[in-house]
């Protein structure tokens, strides 16, 4: 029997050292916990080139580690046009990331290109409270910004995994 192809997901931010590696680490854990590690592949990239080859920001790594996510093996790379051919989902963190990705698009993309927070579960954070549109860049801010990023990403990756399972006929993870 042919092995089912992996569904591939690429998270994209500016530097690929704070937001998208955090999304990468969280999503990998959620995928593994759902027993889908063989079916869903996860990667991340930045639209900028400054940090290529470097590990994630020490603050992002520390805050993620406090929640049990290991970002230490990840290394920054730059988004490239060939990524349109390699990934079923391309998920930018903010509208500028989205515009920078679209600027590299030379033909229609057959996958899902959507902002990370488009996948927030309905009613997040609670009814009546404004829903954020972008994952804010924590790089120049304080420690609480990294916690806010993790809160948003944990919720949005849960919604993303549910979307992947639905579109690709995978078994829904429990609780999604
Ligand atoms: P990220 O954060 O896009 O979430 O990785 C940033 C990291 C580095 C820079 C900007 C944002 N920078 O200007 O170097």
């Amino acid at each position: 029997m042919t092995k089912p192809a992996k569904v591939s997901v690429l998270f994209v931010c500016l530097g690929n050292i704070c937001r998208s590696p955090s999304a990468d680490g969280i999503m990998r854990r959620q995928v593994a916990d759902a027993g889908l590690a063989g079916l869903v592949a996860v990667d991340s990239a930045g639209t900028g080139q400054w940090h290529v080859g470097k590990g994630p920001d020490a603050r992002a790594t520390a805050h993620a580690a406090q929640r049990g996510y290991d970002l230490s093996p990840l290394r920054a790379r730059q988004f490239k046009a060939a990524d349109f051919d390699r990934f079923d989902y391309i998920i930018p963190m903010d509208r500028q990331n989205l515009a920078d990705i679209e600027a590299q698009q030379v033909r229609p993309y057959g996958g899902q290109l959507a902002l990370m927070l488009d996948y927030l579960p309905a009613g997040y954070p609670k009814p009546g409270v404004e829903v954020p549109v972008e994952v804010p860049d924590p790089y120049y801010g304080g420690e609480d910004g990294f916690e806010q990023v993790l809160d948003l990403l944990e919720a949005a990756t849960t919604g993303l995994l549910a979307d992947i399972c639905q579109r690709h006929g995978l078994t829904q993870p429990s609780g999604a």
Side-chain angles (χ1 to χ4, degrees), residues 132-149:
V133 174
E134 304 181 299
V135 182
D137 185 347
Y139 188 67
Y140 293 108
E143 298 290 330
D144 56 341
F146 287 86
E147 287 298 310
Q148 190 195 355
V149 164

Side-chain angles (χ1 to χ4, degrees), residues 10-98:
L10 181 66
F11 297 108
V12 183
C13 62
L14 176 59
N16 194 207
I17 57 168
C18 296
R19 292 166 293 174
S20 61
S22 299
D24 187 329
I26 293 168
M27 187 75 178
R28 272 174 210 266
R29 244 271 303 282
Q30 290 185 351
V31 164
D33 288 352
L36 297 172
L39 294 174
V40 181
V42 183
D43 193 10
S44 67
T47 56
Q49 60 168 11
W50 312 283
H51 303 285
V52 168
K54 304 255 175 68
D57 181 282
R59 298 163 297 171
T61 303
H63 283 270
Q66 281 169 13
R67 299 191 190 198
Y69 307 112
D70 182 13
L71 307 189
S72 64
L74 303 177
R75 293 295 174 268
R77 73 167 179 88
Q78 192 170 20
F79 178 84
K80 50 187 188 293
D83 288 322
F84 286 113
D85 300 322
R86 292 182 50 214
F87 291 92
D88 301 302
Y89 286 76
I90 298 177
I91 310 293
M93 297 294 132
D94 64 34
R95 284 175 284 208
Q96 185 60 54
N97 304 150
L98 174 60

Side-chain angles (χ1 to χ4, degrees), residues 123-131:
Y124 181 92
K126 48 190 171 188
V129 176
E130 197 181 339
V131 182

